[in-house]
Amino acid sequence: MTRPGGERAFVVVDGRRVLIRRYGRGPAVFVVHGSPQSSRAVETVCQAIAARGLTALAPDTPGAGTSTPLPIADPDSADFARALHRLTETLGLARVGLYGFHTGAATAATFATLFPHSTAALVCDGLPAWTEAERARFLADYLPPFEPRWDGSHMAWLWARMEAQTVFFPWHSTDPAERMAMAVSSPEHIHANAMDLLATGDAYRPVYHAAFTFRAEAVADRLPASALIACTAADILTPHLDRPGLAGRGTIFADAPALHAGAAEHLAAHPGTIALDGIGEGFVWLGEERLAFQRLSGGPGRPLVMLHDAGGCAADLTAPRDRPVIALDLPGHGLSAGGWAGPIDWPGSVRAALDALNLSDAEVAGVGAGAVLACALTGGPADPGRVLGLPDAVPSLEPEWDGAHLVRAFRIASWERLFAPWHRREPAHRIDRPADLAATHGRAVSLLLAHRRWSDFEAWADAHASDGLGQ
């Protein structure tokens, strides 16, 4: 069975943490996403590859999604290709198929030229072949810094940038000649891309920079015979198939489903090493839903399980360093976001996760709403350490056409530093937290990941804190 969103795990490669989504069973194919997205964006082609009897392994590339960036100031496509090869070595995969989309195609093609003996087959879905004028223009203007601002204006900019990307190429153009013949993407699609860039932050620029400095003509003659250079008819990179290095080598498919099916057939005809189970850890499955966990520290003694506040995530927590500490991303929060469509049994889901992780005897502690949940599990007194509660009209963080929900999340995070609860903006509810722009922005991102589950968990904790035992 292939779960929606793929089975997920973290793998440590040369000290860097890499998130991988896995689909299917069989010979390994690495699916490399484009920028500024994450492995989330390639689920459709991963499903097509898995349906053909292959294992699609889609990593968040270094610096994208939740994978650690490369420790290099200005990495190029060769650096990303070497990092991908180290991932294949870490997983014990001698030969792999490769599928790359746009930015990912540059990485995949470079991998195939650097490591031909490790490449079973290659599919490039939109391989860029920039002119010198295009390269200069994109390197000059395409990659502005992404910097949080106290007024939240960076959130409005982000939405406008992601929206424009579905209308113009390049996105910062207003030239009618550079307008694409496609409908503006839905708020949900734009939101997903915005969340990818929010996860990446300003690290989105090195990945893009590598793609713009990539030269197709330098690798084209060294690509393997098993390379399929493809585009859909509507792809903005289809004209690149007539450029130096690619001319006469491209295949144009009618649409994305046709290309994905053709890619799966091509990769199945040139199978690599069979991918084994157990590629890493970091997630536990509770039926069809998943909970993410992180091991924050090690050492002897009884394990401590830490639970974050409503709307937060495990990354918010500070662990003692003298004992084993595991932090959970609670249902619908952080890396556990997505799924969880029905009512949530908050204590029951955590108990099930602890049982699955052999942590049923661990000590459990939490902060805020997480403290109430911890005492529901242990029977101790509930002490959230802050005033719980929501406004009568809970603000929605669901995607909106104009991106107002992004700014709203940042404003909520800002008010949380000044009032408790945040919506009681009166002198009697004043608090004074240190001004920390990065922390405020991070909290806004966590709220957006949790969206409706933030208020669900807050309401549950508010209802259970007053009875003293959190029961």
Side-chain angles (χ1 to χ4, degrees), residues 175-198:
D175 185 345
E178 294 180 313
R179 185 166 178 171
M180 296 184 289
M182 57 188 292
V184 176
S185 295
S186 68
E188 291 74 20
H189 181 87
I190 297 172
H191 173 79
N193 285 335
M195 293 304 297
D196 279 343
L197 197 144
L198 285 172

Side-chain angles (χ1 to χ4, degrees), residues 13 24 27 39 58 68 82 90 116 133 137 153 155-156 169 172 220 237 289 308 326 333 351 363 373 375 383 439 466:
V13 181
S39 55
T68 308
R82 292 186 189 101
T90 301
R137 179 187 183 190
S153 58
M155 291 295 205
F169 182 77
H172 57 284
L237 296 184
E289 308 294 358
H308 59 77
I326 296 89
H333 290 67
R351 287 193 188 98
E363 180 184 352
L373 179 53
C375 68
D383 182 16
S466 60

Side-chain angles (χ1 to χ4, degrees), residues 111-139:
F111 180 110
T113 61
L114 292 176
F115 307 104
H117 298 297
S118 299
T119 304
L122 169 67
V123 177
C124 293
D125 181 352
L127 185 64
W130 311 113
T131 66
E132 290 304 318
E134 289 170 339
R135 181 176 290 109
R137 179 187 183 190
F138 294 157
L139 290 175

Side-chain angles (χ1 to χ4, degrees), residues 80-300:
F80 284 101
R82 292 186 189 101
L84 181 59
H85 188 251
R86 285 291 298 126
L87 176 58
T88 68
E89 291 181 320
T90 301
L91 296 176
L93 299 171
R95 282 174 61 80
V96 299
L98 297 166
Y99 169 98
F101 176 75
H102 285 208
T103 308
T107 298
T110 306
F111 180 110
T113 61
L114 292 176
F115 307 104
H117 298 297
S118 299
T119 304
L122 169 67
V123 177
C124 293
D125 181 352
L127 185 64
W130 311 113
T131 66
E132 290 304 318
E134 289 170 339
R135 181 176 290 109
R137 179 187 183 190
F138 294 157
L139 290 175
D141 300 323
Y142 201 92
L143 307 172
F146 181 68
E147 300 173 344
R149 299 182 181 275
W150 274 116
D151 60 3
S153 58
H154 62 291
M155 291 295 205
W157 175 88
L158 172 61
W159 188 265
R161 184 252 186 269
M162 289 301 173
E163 208 170 42
Q165 184 171 289
T166 72
V167 181
F168 289 96
F169 182 77
W171 67 268
H172 57 284
S173 174
T174 57
D175 185 345
E178 294 180 313
R179 185 166 178 171
M180 296 184 289
M182 57 188 292
V184 176
S185 295
S186 68
E188 291 74 20
H189 181 87
I190 297 172
H191 173 79
N193 285 335
M195 293 304 297
D196 279 343
L197 197 144
L198 285 172
T200 302
D202 198 49
Y204 89 96
R205 293 195 293 157
V207 186
Y208 252 145
H209 185 276
F212 290 141
T213 57
F214 170 77
R215 294 178 180 273
E217 65 275 16
V219 303
D221 290 341
R222 294 183 289 146
L223 292 177
S226 59
L228 172 63
I229 312 301
C231 269
T232 62
D235 195 316
I236 56 173
L237 296 184
T238 297
H240 290 215
L241 295 179
D242 294 325
R243 294 182 177 181
L246 302 184
R249 304 189 60 174
T251 301
I252 299 176
F253 290 83
D255 53 29
L259 192 156
H260 295 167
E265 288 297 326
H266 183 78
L267 293 161
H270 305 85
T273 305
I274 293 177
L276 302 177
D277 290 338
I279 60 173
E281 67 167 20
F283 296 84
V284 59
W285 286 88
L286 309 178
E288 290 301 302
E289 308 294 358
R290 68 181 183 276
L291 278 185
F293 66 92
Q294 294 186 43
R295 301 185 188 276
L296 300 184
S297 62

Side-chain angles (χ1 to χ4, degrees), residues 27 221 346 422:
D221 290 341
W346 299 95
W422 64 269

